[in-house]
Amino acid sequence: MRFCVVGAGLSGAVIARTLAQGGHHVVVVDERPHIGGNCHTERDPETGIMVHCYGPHIFHTSDERVWHYVRRFGNFRPYTNRVKAVAQGRVHVLPVNLLTINQFFGKTLGPREARAFIAAKADQSIIQPRSFEEQALKMVGPELYGAFFRGYTRKQWGIDPKALPASILKRLPLRFNYDDNYFSHSYQGIPEEGYTAVIQNILNVDGIEVRRNCRFESLTGTFDHIFYTGPIDRYFGFRIGRLAYRTLDFERIVTDGDFQGTAVMNYCDEDVPYTRITEHKYFSPWEKDNFSKTICFREYSRACGENDIPYYPVRLVNDRILLDKYISMAREEKNVSFLGRLGTYRYLDMDVTIREALHASDMIERSFQSTRFSLPVFFVDPN
Ligand code: FAD
Ligand code: UDP
């Protein structure tokens, strides 16, 4: 059979490999000049530093199958994400932990005292938080919310936290010990040769033909089935409207030596126009001292326009209504499956992206073995 995979990111690569290993011909198209999707990494020609071109990517998971899968394609070096944050003129540590609490409030509390201290500040009247703001007030109270979350979130999403879902904040832990690991997963790492090399290795199977600089819309030829990992609204030519995304502008800074002395510095105050600065040699600690220069990026978040790269799906009520309509249209299509971050319009971390692509691969393999090749339009419910 002959398949087309639209998008050479993680989703597309995992699916393409499964199809090719089934003995089929797979054309993978990506409109970018490189593979890797938003995980793409490349060495900066001026400094030699491995740069995460679409924003920093740290791999973290508790899924054994996913962790086993990715490590077949690259050497993942241990990496722990420890984030610093500038708020109200001082530097703190995130996620909020005992050090943050003690330093912010000028205290020397132990774990139990800190728990009681924050509980007294938290808004106990909120039982079921309906918004980001309610979630934050219930979790940490007004001072920490005002210092670390309100300004940053307004900049990141361009919307008042009162109008955002509580689920966005639930991604972050609150700890009453000195553990400042940003993630709570069992495994965490960054591939030694970068993510693009990992994705190249996933695609390195007979039967896969990768076409870069190739838009799906300009592709000719027929396929038995298409796996579409681009934006679902774009597949339909934005016929009934555009799903809202946030995009990012990156301002490049190159200097001698060190710039900020750490990988990620968030800027939580609203009067600072950027959300964070990332210093990329700190994402490769094993080679960090080999470089005389450093490269950083200031990140600015804004509404995604027609010609911008869609980064974060906004998914507010109106978007969900529009998404439902696109889902119904997609279900009418023949021989197409939608997957990945853009194909299902969801914020997916890399490990979830791989897990879903492996789940789809299981279904593809079962379909190869059955008498009739048939696949669902969605492998997971996009709602
Ligand atoms: P993508 O990587 O977006 O790939 C889709 C590809 O399809 C793109 O290359 C695009 O060019 C191509 N395409 C789209 N439409 C067409 C078309 N019509 N024709 C041809 N090509 C097309 N996850 C983590 O686990 N850890 C992190 O630290 C992390 N940090 C992140 C930071 C930022 C700023 C962002 C935005 C995301 C981050 N993620 C992180 C999430 C991670 O980027 C995604 O999980 C992953 O990229 C999803 O892969 P994908 O293949 O579904 O989509
Ligand atoms: N957030 C914040 N202040 C910070 C870091 C995060 O207010 O210093 C909020 C912000 O709304 C963000 C959400 O918490 O979108 C989730 O944080 P995470 O680091 O997971 O953001 P992402 O990886 O989505 O950029």
Side-chain angles (χ1 to χ4, degrees):
M1 294 169 83
R2 196 173 144 78
F3 294 105
C4 177
V5 173
V6 183
L10 269 177
S11 304
V14 172
I15 294 295
R17 184 179 181 88
T18 303
L19 296 167
Q21 284 183 327
H24 302 281
H25 185 72
V26 191
V27 177
V28 179
V29 295
D30 203 300
E31 65 183 346
R32 291 175 177 175
H34 58 75
I35 62 163
N38 277 358
C39 307
H40 175 56
T41 44
E42 67 183 37
R43 286 206 182 271
D44 171 61
E46 186 182 350
T47 61
I49 296 166
M50 188 65 88
V51 165
H52 298 209
C53 303
Y54 300 91
H57 279 68
I58 297 122
F59 197 91
H60 52 99
T61 190
S62 293
D63 187 314
E64 300 284 346
R65 184 185 184 195
V66 168
W67 186 231
H68 181 257
Y69 183 85
V70 284
R71 285 182 308 144
R72 285 167 50 203
F73 304 105
N75 182 24
F76 279 69
R77 304 279 294 235
Y79 184 89
T80 305
N81 193 24
R82 300 187 199 280
V83 174
K84 306 289 175 285
V86 174
Q88 302 175 351
R90 290 165 64 189
V91 179
H92 296 274
V93 294
L94 286 180
V96 175
N97 64 71
L98 201 45
L99 188 62
T100 327
I101 295 165
N102 277 330
Q103 290 192 337
F104 185 84
F105 292 104
K107 302 270 181 198
T108 54
L109 305 173
R112 213 169 320 134
E113 295 161 312
R115 199 180 283 277
F117 180 76
I118 293 297
K121 295 197 168 290
D123 189 336
Q124 310 286 0
S125 69
I126 302 167
I127 309 296
Q128 199 62 38
R130 283 161 307 175
S131 66
F132 183 109
E133 180 167 283
E134 286 191 359
Q135 174 68 30
L137 292 173
K138 181 180 160 63
M139 193 165 118
V140 295
E143 292 99 331
L144 293 174
Y145 166 56
F148 295 113
F149 300 119
R150 189 176 45 220
Y152 186 101
T153 297
R154 285 167 74 116
K155 291 190 286 186
Q156 171 77 3
W157 295 100
I159 299 165
D160 195 279
K162 284 189 179 69
L164 283 169
S167 57
I168 295 178
L169 186 60
K170 285 186 190 153
R171 291 213 281 267
L172 298 186
L174 163 66
R175 300 209 186 97
F176 295 102
N177 57 30
Y178 287 98
D179 178 2
D180 62 353
N181 184 348
Y182 203 72
F183 303 117
S184 305
H185 284 138
S186 317
Y187 309 111
Q188 200 173 152
I190 292 188
E192 193 167 9
E193 301 299 330
Y195 291 96
T196 300
V198 170
I199 291 168
Q200 179 63 62
N201 290 337
I202 297 175
L203 288 167
N204 193 14
V205 188
D206 283 350
I208 296 182
E209 176 193 339
V210 179
R211 297 190 197 160
R212 296 170 178 81
N213 297 306
C214 179
R215 299 173 76 229
F216 171 62
E217 292 80 351
S218 59
L219 195 65
T220 52
T222 54
F223 299 95
D224 293 295
H225 199 91
I226 293 163
F227 297 86
Y228 187 87
T229 77
I232 183 168
D233 50 353
R234 176 170 165 182
Y235 179 89
F236 293 102
F238 306 105
R239 214 180 300 157
I240 53 168
R242 282 177 182 267
L243 293 166
Y245 280 93
R246 299 294 285 175
T247 193
L248 297 174
D249 294 320
F250 294 100
E251 185 186 350
R252 177 189 158 101
I253 311 162
V254 173
T255 65
D256 288 332
D258 254 12
F259 182 78
Q260 61 181 15
T262 193
V264 183
M265 182 74 79
N266 286 3
Y267 286 83
C268 300
D269 300 325
E270 215 177 334
D271 55 359
V272 177
Y274 41 88
T275 51
R276 60 181 179 178
I277 300 179
T278 55
E279 185 161 1
H280 285 233
K281 67 178 171 186
Y282 279 92
F283 293 116
S284 312
W286 54 92
E287 61 175 25
K288 173 178 91 47
D289 296 329
N290 299 350
F291 307 105
S292 59
K293 291 193 170 202
T294 194
I295 181 163
C296 300
F297 293 90
R298 283 196 186 97
E299 270 179 44
Y300 299 81
S301 171
R302 61 178 170 82
C304 186
E306 286 188 16
N307 298 316
D308 297 320
I309 299 173
Y311 281 94
Y312 294 99
V314 177
R315 282 184 81 97
L316 291 183
V317 175
N318 285 348
D319 303 307
R320 282 164 178 271
I321 294 169
L322 189 57
L323 176 64
D324 272 345
K325 292 183 182 156
Y326 277 121
I327 290 171
S328 303
M329 287 161 70
R331 293 199 195 282
E332 298 297 309
E333 291 291 291
K334 295 260 178 304
N335 304 327
V336 183
S337 297
F338 293 82
L339 69 164
R341 202 174 54 92
L342 303 166
T344 61
Y345 189 58
R346 286 173 308 148
Y347 183 94
L348 299 181
D349 275 329
M350 290 182 278
D351 64 325
V352 182
T353 303
I354 295 172
R355 184 164 69 225
E356 294 191 358
L358 288 175
H359 167 66
S361 294
D362 293 341
M363 295 180 79
I364 292 167
E365 279 166 356
R366 278 201 294 276
S367 201
F368 282 149
Q369 281 154 17
S370 79
T371 47
R372 196 174 143 263
F373 184 81
S374 161
L375 288 174
V377 173
F378 295 100
F379 295 99
V380 293
D381 181 357
N383 283 307

